[in-house]
């Protein structure tokens, strides 16, 4: 921190809250504090205000049907198309306005895609999808990086009513294969490659392997080209199911595809996410409720206006990108910035250089990125002339120190910051301040969004008093339009994962059903919620959600491994990182080679982003008398915390030995 740093910190101690700047308040999309009361008193009908932000082919007859909890239905009887709402409806007013400004790895490679361009591309790609046999309700699996092809493909699927299931490009072949199988996709969309730190990555190779590993028979893989033609390193053989998208686009040039009217409850997309078991869950999102919710929260929380230049520096392959790069911002008709590669390529000022070049108004990133920028130092920021009006953080708790740095050096102390708590399952923001209506409090997500009713429950299933200041399980007591419909193909799992713990599952009264978020939180006396992190076996590594079971099963794939347990270690930069405790089979010696095999297995089964931080070889793992591995103790060891009560262990010396091995005392 520079000289003024301590001043700011002092300010924080004296006064925990920061006022939104007057200039911001003067122009904000929502300034009427009655919004909260309106939604509370008029729940669920008030959510009509959200749906009315969209164009519907058929208006709904009922806002919420809660007669069969937890299978809630929103805007029942309504019909609409998401692609129409994100593109066609803007053409009269802003066909030549940029929808996306995209930069490649090399900043000289720039593309401006106007709403009219997007319309043309999406129509042609929709014709391509139809041409290869995709029908309404077929799930199309995509494995695309941050190229314009990604939003184009998603919106083309939406246009013809085919739910997309985008798999983050960093996921491995095996992870892709698992998701193709679970969604039973006949058609997959990928690209020949993309750039990371300036190097071309052959991405098609991953799809080749996935096709071998998948049980389903994929009929067609639509292969985009990163450049005008296929990269020289990428080959297609005659018996591959690959078809070049560019050739097909040429065949369907200038074709128009009528947007299909979808029932409000028809699924728009699947997004797989990690849970407490090894198998990722396909969160299924509906068309009407989801689109209404992300459009409204983009408007009220992110304060997006059509004339803004907005930049959410997340990857579209995760829910943040789906909701707040593609569907919400486009539905509002704004201009979004997108780029390929990493924030330090070709230099550590890349983000701020782009912010200046496009005069970005609204900026959206993760606490991990903020910590990284902070580590690099403000000198990388100071050279550039940009002026954000609004900034967001998402995905992890932000430490007050990182918040202050973001506020000072990125926001110049005159931008508003919203800390948005939500999840893949929730579709959009649930806890965060409406920026003109509440003061900012570093480290606190803030108040619930209008009409959203979070509460804190004890482990005994009883609600704690509101604003008690005590930590407990974060739950949501009433349904909201952005919520997932179910876990794809597995209603039972949907109930087990999200509802069983705090609901009376025999009841058909919605009041008895309570959604479990899986996070710990505190509801402070000021009414603000502070999120503490996951309470289940889910880790948050640099904002990427990872299941410990998934990691353990990847490690156990290595033949030499007899047993493995994963613990989350706190990390100053990434939030959490996985430590893997491994017991090898009889007769196998710990070696760098075994270590490498474990790392490779995690990279192959999940992806490079899930790489373990440490691999600790042990003789045994701490277990209860019934043989259950005590992960909590391993977590204590990883974080150098007191081991606490070990009397329930079969052999208390095991944990002590591991602790000595790791910390040497
Ligand atoms: O633990 C919470 C954390 O991220 C989890 C959801 O991860 P995912 O489904 O990948 O979605 C991330 C983008 C919304 C949550 O259960 N999390 C998310 N936002 C915050 C957060 N933790 C603290 N503060 C936040 N603002």
């Amino acid at each position: 921190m520079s000289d003024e740093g301590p001043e700011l910190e002092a300010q924080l101690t004296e006064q925990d809250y920061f006022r939104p700047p007057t200039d911001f308040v003067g122009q904000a999309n929502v300034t009427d504090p009655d919004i909260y009361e309106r939604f509370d008193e008029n729940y669920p009908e008030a959510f009509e205000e959200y749906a009315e932000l969209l164009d519907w082919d058929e208006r709904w007859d009922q806002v919420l049907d809660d007669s069969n909890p937890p299978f809630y239905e929103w805007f029942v009887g309504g019909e609409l198309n998401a692609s129409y709402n994100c593109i066609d409806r803007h053409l009269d007013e802003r066909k030549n306005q940029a929808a996306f400004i995209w930069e490649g790895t090399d900043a000289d490679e720039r593309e401006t895609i106007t709403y009219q361009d997007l319309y043309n591309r999406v129509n042609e790609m929709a014709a391509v999808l139809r041409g290869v046999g995709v029908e309404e309700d077929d799930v199309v699996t995509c494995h695309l990086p941050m190229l314009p092809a990604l939003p184009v493909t998603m919106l083309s699927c939406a246009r013809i009513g085919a739910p997309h299931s985008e798999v983050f490009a960093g996921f491995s072949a095996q992870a892709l294969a698992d998701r193709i199988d679970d969604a039973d996709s006949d058609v997959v969309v990928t690209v020949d490659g993309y750039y990371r730190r300036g190097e071309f990555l052959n991405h098609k190779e991953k799809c080749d392997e996935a096709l071998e590993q998948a049980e389903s028979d994929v009929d067609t893989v639509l292969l985009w080209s990163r450049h005008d033609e296929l990269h020289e390193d990428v080959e297609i053989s005659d018996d591959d199911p690959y078809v070049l998208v560019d050739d097909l686009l040429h065949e369907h040039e200038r074709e128009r595809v009528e947007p299909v009217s979808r029932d409000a409850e028809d699924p728009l997309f699947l997004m797989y996410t990690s849970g407490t078991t090894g198998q990722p869950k396909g969160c299924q999102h509906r068309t009407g409720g989801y689109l209404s919710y992300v459009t409204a929260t983009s408007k009220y929380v992110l304060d997006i206006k059509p004339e803004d230049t907005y930049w959410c520096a997340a990857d579209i392959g995760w829910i943040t990108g789906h909701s707040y790069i593609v569907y919400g911002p486009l539905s509002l008709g704004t201009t979004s910035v997108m780029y390929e590669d990493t924030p330090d390529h070709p230099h550590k000022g890349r983000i701020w250089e782009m912010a200046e070049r496009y005069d970005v108004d609204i900026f959206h990133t993760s606490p991990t990125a903020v910590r990284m920028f902070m580590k690099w130092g403000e000198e990388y920021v100071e050279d550039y002339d940009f002026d954000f009006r609004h900034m967001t953080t998402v995905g992890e708790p932000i430490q007050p120190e990182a918040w202050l740095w973001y506020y000072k050096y990125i926001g110049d102390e005159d931008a508003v910051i919203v800390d948005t708590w939500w999840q893949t399952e929730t579709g959009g923001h649930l806890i965060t301040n409406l920026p003109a209506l509440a003061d900012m409090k570093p480290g606190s997500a803030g108040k619930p969004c209008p009409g959203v009713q979070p509460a804190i429950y004890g482990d005994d299933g009883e609600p704690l008093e509101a604003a008690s200041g005590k930590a407990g399980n974060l739950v949501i007591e009433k349904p909201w339009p952005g919520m997932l419909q179910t876990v794809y193909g597995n209603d039972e799992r949907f109930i087990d994962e999200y509802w069983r713990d705090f609901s009376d599952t025999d009841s058909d009264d919605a009041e008895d059903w309570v959604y479990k978020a899986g996070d710990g939180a505190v509801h402070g006396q000021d009414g603000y919620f502070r999120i503490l992190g996951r309470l289940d076996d889910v880790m948050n590594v640099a904002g990427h959600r990872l299941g410990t079971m998934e990691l353990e099963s990847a490690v156990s794939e290595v033949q030499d491994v007899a047993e493995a347990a994963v613990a989350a270690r706190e990390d100053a930069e990434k939030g959490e990182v996985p430590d893997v405790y491994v017991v090898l089979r009889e007769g196998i010696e710990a070696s760098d080679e075994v270590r490498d095999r474990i790392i490779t297995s995690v990279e192959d089964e999940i992806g490079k982003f899930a790489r373990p931080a440490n691999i600790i070889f042990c003789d045994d793992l701490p277990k209860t008398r019934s043989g259950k591995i005590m992960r909590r103790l391993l977590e204590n060891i990883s974080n150098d915390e007191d081991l606490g009560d070990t009397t329930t262990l079969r052999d208390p010396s095991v944990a002590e030995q591991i602790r000595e091995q790791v910390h040497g005392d």
Side-chain angles (χ1 to χ4, degrees):
M1 282 221 173
S2 79
D3 294 337
E4 296 100 324
E7 252 173 61
L8 244 150
E9 274 172 52
Q11 196 179 340
L12 181 72
T13 350
E14 282 161 28
Q15 169 211 339
D16 278 343
Y17 304 88
F18 289 73
R19 274 266 132 92
T22 328
D23 285 355
F24 176 85
V25 176
Q27 59 78 64
N29 281 338
V30 53
T31 48
D32 177 5
D34 289 346
I35 186 167
Y36 290 111
E37 219 173 285
R38 200 163 72 233
F39 272 73
D40 282 347
E41 284 173 5
N42 192 21
Y43 175 93
E45 274 71 27
F47 281 117
E48 284 193 319
E49 289 182 29
Y50 286 10
E52 278 161 0
L53 296 172
L54 304 180
D55 285 6
W56 294 73
D57 300 335
E58 193 69 57
R59 196 179 161 96
W60 56 93
D61 350 275
Q62 193 184 357
V63 174
L64 168 67
D65 177 352
D66 61 1
S67 58
N68 182 27
F71 301 97
Y72 300 105
E73 296 190 6
W74 285 94
F75 308 117
V76 184
E79 287 178 23
L80 76 169
N81 182 282
S83 144
Y84 178 87
N85 273 281
C86 290
I87 309 169
D88 307 38
R89 68 165 172 159
H90 305 309
L91 296 180
D92 274 353
E93 273 183 39
R94 56 183 67 94
K95 59 175 177 276
N96 288 324
Q97 177 194 312
F100 285 111
I101 300 172
W102 176 84
E103 270 196 22
T105 178
D106 172 354
D108 290 339
E109 187 187 7
R110 296 181 203 163
E111 228 179 290
T112 300
I113 302 159
T114 64
Y115 275 92
Q116 181 67 35
D117 291 330
L118 193 60
Y119 174 77
N120 296 339
R121 290 189 199 197
V122 165
N123 273 278
E124 288 170 3
M125 185 60 184
V128 167
L129 289 164
R130 281 244 174 100
V132 299
V134 177
E135 292 181 1
E136 197 173 344
D137 290 319
D138 290 349
V139 179
V140 175
T141 297
C142 308
H143 193 216
L144 290 165
M146 286 295 279
L147 304 173
L150 176 49
V152 167
T153 305
M154 287 164 62
L155 292 162
S156 309
C157 288
R159 197 163 189 89
I160 61 169
H164 49 77
S165 168
E166 154 69 4
V167 179
F168 168 59
F171 271 117
S172 68
Q174 184 62 54
L176 174 61
D178 293 344
R179 287 156 178 75
I180 292 172
D181 282 341
D182 194 75
D184 203 12
S185 285
D186 295 329
V187 173
V188 172
V189 187
T190 190
V191 66
D192 57 351
Y194 63 105
Y195 290 86
R196 230 178 132 74
R197 301 230 153 75
E199 294 282 318
F200 182 77
L201 295 185
N202 183 334
H203 193 57
K204 173 181 170 283
E205 267 175 9
K206 275 196 190 171
C207 193
D208 294 341
E209 277 177 49
L211 296 181
E212 277 174 30
Q213 289 157 355
E215 279 162 23
S216 327
D217 277 329
V218 171
D219 298 332
T220 309
V221 182
L222 292 169
L223 184 68
W224 287 89
S225 305
R226 165 65 181 79
H227 297 278
D228 289 341
E229 48 190 42
L230 212 58
H231 193 273
E232 56 189 15
D233 294 349
V234 177
E235 283 167 18
I236 300 181
S237 72
D238 288 345
D239 45 348
D240 280 343
Y242 290 93
V243 194
L244 291 179
V245 174
D246 286 343
D247 292 352
L248 296 182
L249 284 175
H250 197 63
E251 279 173 29
H252 293 279
E253 205 173 323
R254 300 183 38 241
E255 259 177 54
R256 296 289 180 253
V257 173
E258 268 298 296
V260 171
S261 244
R262 297 283 278 168
D263 190 280
E265 278 295 304
D266 282 338
L268 178 61
F269 67 88
L270 306 182
M271 166 64 61
Y272 282 84
T273 190
S274 298
T276 47
T277 64
Q279 183 64 28
K281 302 166 288 194
C283 293
Q284 180 179 316
H285 282 285
R286 71 196 91 223
T287 306
Y290 171 84
L291 195 64
S292 304
Y293 200 73
V294 299
T295 303
T297 44
S298 295
K299 181 163 179 173
Y300 299 140
V301 177
L302 303 180
D303 200 52
I304 292 176
K305 303 177 178 67
E307 55 277 15
D308 282 329
T309 303
Y310 163 81
W311 187 6
C312 170
D315 194 295
I316 294 178
W318 303 102
I319 192 69
T320 303
H322 276 48
S323 300
Y324 298 117
I325 300 180
V326 180
Y327 287 112
L330 288 179
S331 167
L332 292 176
T334 199
T335 298
S336 272
V337 175
M338 256 180 90
Y339 84 117
E340 183 188 36
D341 224 313
T342 51
D344 55 353
H345 183 82
H347 57 83
K348 292 192 170 93
R350 175 79 190 265
I351 299 280
W352 321 119
E353 183 183 66
M354 285 177 64
E356 176 187 283
R357 181 150 51 241
Y358 303 115
D359 193 15
V360 171
D361 303 292
I362 304 176
F363 184 70
H364 195 139
T365 195
S366 64
T368 285
V370 173
R371 290 191 293 267
M372 187 176 70
F373 298 140
M374 191 166 124
K375 194 172 120 194
W376 292 345
E378 47 271 19
E379 56 272 26
Y380 289 99
V381 186
E382 280 161 355
D383 273 356
Y384 300 101
D385 181 17
F386 59 90
D387 182 16
F388 297 149
R389 167 177 103 237
H390 179 295
M391 309 195 301
T392 299
T393 71
V394 61
E396 307 153 74
I398 185 161
Q399 298 67 19
E401 190 199 0
W403 191 98
L404 284 170
W405 189 90
Y406 192 40
Y407 181 67
K408 180 171 169 56
Y409 292 104
I410 309 301
D412 207 17
E413 294 181 33
D414 69 0
V416 82
I417 299 182
V418 287
D419 177 347
T420 57
W421 175 83
W422 57 295
Q423 310 176 297
T424 305
E425 293 85 347
T426 71
H429 310 136
L430 290 193
I431 302 180
T432 183
N433 288 331
L434 293 176
L437 293 181
D439 292 348
M440 302 172 262
K441 186 175 183 187
S444 228
K447 295 187 184 182
C449 293
V452 172
Q453 197 159 315
I456 308 292
Y457 280 38
D459 289 337
D460 58 0
E462 292 301 317
L464 303 187
E465 209 180 301
S468 73
K470 293 194 189 117
N473 296 277
L474 177 61
V475 303
I476 312 293
E477 295 184 320
K478 285 185 179 167
W480 65 99
M483 69 197 302
L484 78 165
Q485 285 179 296
T486 187
V487 169
Y488 183 68
N490 201 339
D491 289 348
E492 203 50 38
R493 193 162 171 210
F494 174 58
I495 293 175
D496 286 346
E497 291 257 355
Y498 303 109
W499 306 93
R500 195 169 296 288
D501 286 1
F502 298 107
S503 306
D504 172 2
T505 51
D506 293 327
S507 169
D508 55 13
D509 183 348
E511 300 257 316
D512 295 327
W513 288 76
V514 171
Y515 172 88
K516 176 182 84 166
D519 278 318
V522 173
H523 188 200
Q525 282 164 358
D526 53 3
Y528 281 25
F529 283 83
R530 188 155 60 85
I531 313 296
L532 303 171
R534 301 290 307 195
L535 292 175
D536 52 7
D537 293 324
V538 173
M539 307 181 52
N540 196 329
V541 180
H544 297 319
R545 184 163 150 183
L546 276 176
T548 46
M549 300 290 180
E550 272 170 90
L551 279 158
E552 285 170 11
S553 80
V555 174
S556 303
E557 287 289 308
V558 177
Q559 276 242 322
D560 300 335
V561 171
E563 261 186 324
V566 171
R569 183 157 59 82
E570 283 167 26
D571 181 84
E573 202 176 328
K574 294 184 173 171
E576 287 180 340
V577 290
D579 275 357
V580 184
Y581 292 83
V582 176
V583 178
L584 295 174
R585 284 183 197 283
E586 282 285 317
I588 308 283
E589 289 286 310
S591 66
D592 285 348
E593 199 210 324
V594 181
R595 190 182 301 271
D596 288 349
R597 253 184 283 145
I598 292 173
I599 291 175
T600 309
S601 181
V602 172
E603 291 181 353
D604 287 351
E605 295 289 314
I606 306 174
K608 285 204 164 72
F609 66 91
R611 256 176 101 102
N614 293 298
I615 294 171
I616 300 126
F617 295 107
C618 328
D619 295 333
D620 200 357
L621 295 174
K623 289 186 187 142
T624 59
R625 291 200 188 95
S626 59
K628 252 183 84 184
I629 299 175
M630 292 278 286
R631 289 190 184 74
R632 176 187 65 78
L633 285 179
L634 296 173
E635 213 143 280
N636 291 348
I637 295 172
S638 280
N639 294 303
D640 203 4
E641 291 159 359
D642 196 50
L643 289 184
D645 182 11
T646 54
T647 51
T648 55
L649 291 183
R650 190 154 63 192
D651 178 358
S653 70
V654 172
E656 197 47 51
Q657 268 170 27
I658 302 176
R659 206 182 65 77
E660 274 172 32
Q661 186 185 335
V662 172
H663 298 290
D665 50 27

